[in-house]
Amino acid sequence: MSPFAGRIEAVRAALGAAGADALVVSKLVNVRYLTGFAGSNGVVVVGPDSATFFTDFRYVTASEPIREFMQVELADRDALRFVAGHLDQLLPGDSRIGFEAAHLTFAAHAVLADALGREPVPTREVVERLRAVKDAGEVESIRRSAALIEPVYAAIAEQGLEGRTERDVAWSIRELFHGQGSDQLAFDSIVASHERGAMPHADPSDAQIGAGTLVTIDIGCVLDGYASDCTRTFATGGLPAELREIYEVCLAAQLAGLDAVRPGVAARDADAAARTVIAEAGYGDHFGHPLGHGVGLEIHEGPRLSAASDATLEPGMVVTVEPGIYLPGRGGVRIEDLVVVTATGCERLTAMPKELTVLW
């Protein structure tokens, strides 16, 4: 069975619990998960006995492979409006039609409701819950994407950091990933030095990287649709005692987090394992973001490893483990690996060493 056919069956099996008989899937990343379609205009309707993909003329040829496991219909450029007007031809008249509540705009919801003559059923994360557990093919795609990261870090290490601007390093990262054959960056690279290292999502600036500082570099790419993510923090020469200390504390927390990522563990408990190490060292107020997040077709997806998460880790989930310590005005550190949950623990997909490395 095609993996896409299996995913459609899984959506169909989840409809009852969602209070719907059919689901209109309009979020493009979810459409891609169900069909493999990577274009800019597509809608999938999953019913109790059928599944149909709608797109416009531009993608007639691109959608041919989808015909192997799903009906394909030509729609207008406004595919959702077209679908809304044809639902009565696809489904019984009294069907409870579900929509993706987190992704449909108010205006699009009105189009759907007007066409149905009744309120559609809001559903939440029907497809996203399936996406959280990757199949073997998806894990392999993410593994290949992650494999492009180490050569990029190695090249940056060879180029050195001191005397360069953060923006220059970030541009080099973009070029290096392109040279490795990636499709694109998974997100804008983070290069943060000196006091800017205390900003978890700092944009690279024209600030010059000097000696005796920590430099956090957070990078990732997309390959065949799947993202990767990894952070390392480097030193440029000897460090003040406080910066060296927070590096060692962060590393200990990251290792504790990795050890906690295993099947059956609550995501909040994995977060707590790393957070406790940082808090006991006196830096609890300086770690303000979750321990990690899922990675797949999107760079941020479920499950989240956070104190507020209600997820339980399962084999096949791919998550980041990325504690950080951020000292305003002084600097910061984050260490991040991408891992896949296995039957007995987790496997690192990002293999770069984590001992404090000095780059001149």
Side-chain angles (χ1 to χ4, degrees):
M1 177 186 288
S2 158
F4 302 115
R7 293 169 191 175
I8 292 293
E9 287 298 328
V11 169
R12 188 173 287 125
L15 289 178
D21 301 310
L23 180 64
V24 178
V25 181
S26 56
K27 183 181 181 182
L28 283 173
V29 69
N30 288 342
V31 170
R32 182 168 187 170
Y33 177 75
L34 297 177
T35 65
F37 174 75
S40 63
N41 189 27
V43 175
V44 171
V45 179
V46 180
D49 302 306
S50 64
T52 308
F53 172 69
F54 293 85
T55 190
D56 67 67
F57 177 81
R58 294 171 297 169
Y59 299 111
V60 168
T61 300
S63 62
E64 279 301 312
I66 300 173
R67 295 182 184 276
E68 295 181 9
F69 54 87
M70 187 184 302
Q71 185 174 344
V72 175
E73 296 289 345
L74 192 62
D76 299 333
R77 285 290 188 99
D78 189 345
L80 184 65
R81 184 180 295 273
F82 181 91
V83 168
H86 289 76
L87 284 172
D88 60 343
Q89 300 171 25
L90 293 174
L91 303 163
D94 58 350
S95 295
R96 297 170 298 169
I97 310 296
F99 70 97
E100 297 179 294
H103 311 303
L104 206 66
T105 66
F106 182 84
H109 168 271
V111 168
L112 191 58
D114 288 348
L116 289 174
R118 62 186 185 281
E119 277 294 312
V121 177
T123 69
R124 289 170 176 80
E125 299 189 337
V126 172
V127 180
E128 285 85 347
R129 280 192 289 270
L130 300 176
R131 285 172 47 203
V133 179
K134 276 64 180 176
D135 61 32
E138 290 182 290
V139 172
E140 181 58 27
S141 292
I142 298 170
R143 189 189 306 279
R144 291 175 57 240
S145 180
L148 302 185
I149 290 176
E150 187 169 3
V152 172
Y153 274 128
I156 291 297
E158 185 175 346
Q159 293 171 1
L161 293 175
E162 190 176 346
R164 303 173 67 187
T165 67
E166 296 172 349
R167 198 184 305 276
D168 172 59
V169 176
W171 186 256
S172 293
I173 290 166
R174 180 180 294 274
E175 292 179 323
L176 288 163
F177 270 127
H178 177 73
Q180 290 292 320
S182 70
D183 299 339
Q184 62 189 56
L185 295 182
F187 51 91
D188 289 337
S189 301
I190 296 170
V191 181
S193 62
H194 299 279
E195 70 278 0
R196 291 172 51 75
M199 302 165 63
H201 276 191
D203 291 325
S205 74
D206 289 324
Q208 191 173 78
I209 301 170
T213 186
L214 290 172
V215 184
T216 297
I217 301 180
D218 187 349
I219 63 176
C221 69
V222 176
L223 184 65
D224 296 334
Y226 283 85
S228 55
D229 194 0
C230 182
T231 306
R232 291 294 184 264
T233 300
F234 303 97
T236 55
L239 294 174
E242 186 176 42
L243 293 185
R244 180 172 289 277
E245 179 183 13
I246 65 170
Y247 189 94
E248 295 304 325
V249 171
C250 188
L251 177 56
Q254 207 256 353
L255 293 173
L258 287 172
D259 189 59
V261 173
R262 58 187 62 246
V265 170
R268 64 168 63 95
D269 291 340
D271 177 274
R275 197 168 299 278
T276 297
V277 173
I278 292 174
E280 289 181 347
Y283 295 104
D285 291 341
H286 300 286
F287 175 28
H289 58 70
L291 177 64
H293 55 85
V295 173
L297 288 171
E298 294 181 292
I299 189 59
H300 291 99
E301 56 183 51
R304 288 187 55 158
L305 306 187
S306 76
S309 176
D310 60 0
T312 299
L313 298 179
E314 301 177 40
M317 288 180 168
V318 177
V319 298
T320 65
V321 179
E322 50 176 308
I325 301 174
Y326 311 95
L327 306 180
R330 289 164 285 175
V333 56
R334 182 167 64 255
I335 304 170
E336 173 189 25
D337 280 310
L338 185 61
V339 305
V340 56
V341 181
T342 66
T344 58
C346 70
E347 175 194 352
R348 282 175 58 197
L349 303 179
T350 44
M352 280 287 294
K354 289 178 285 192
E355 297 76 15
L356 185 58
T357 301
V358 176
L359 299 182
W360 303 101

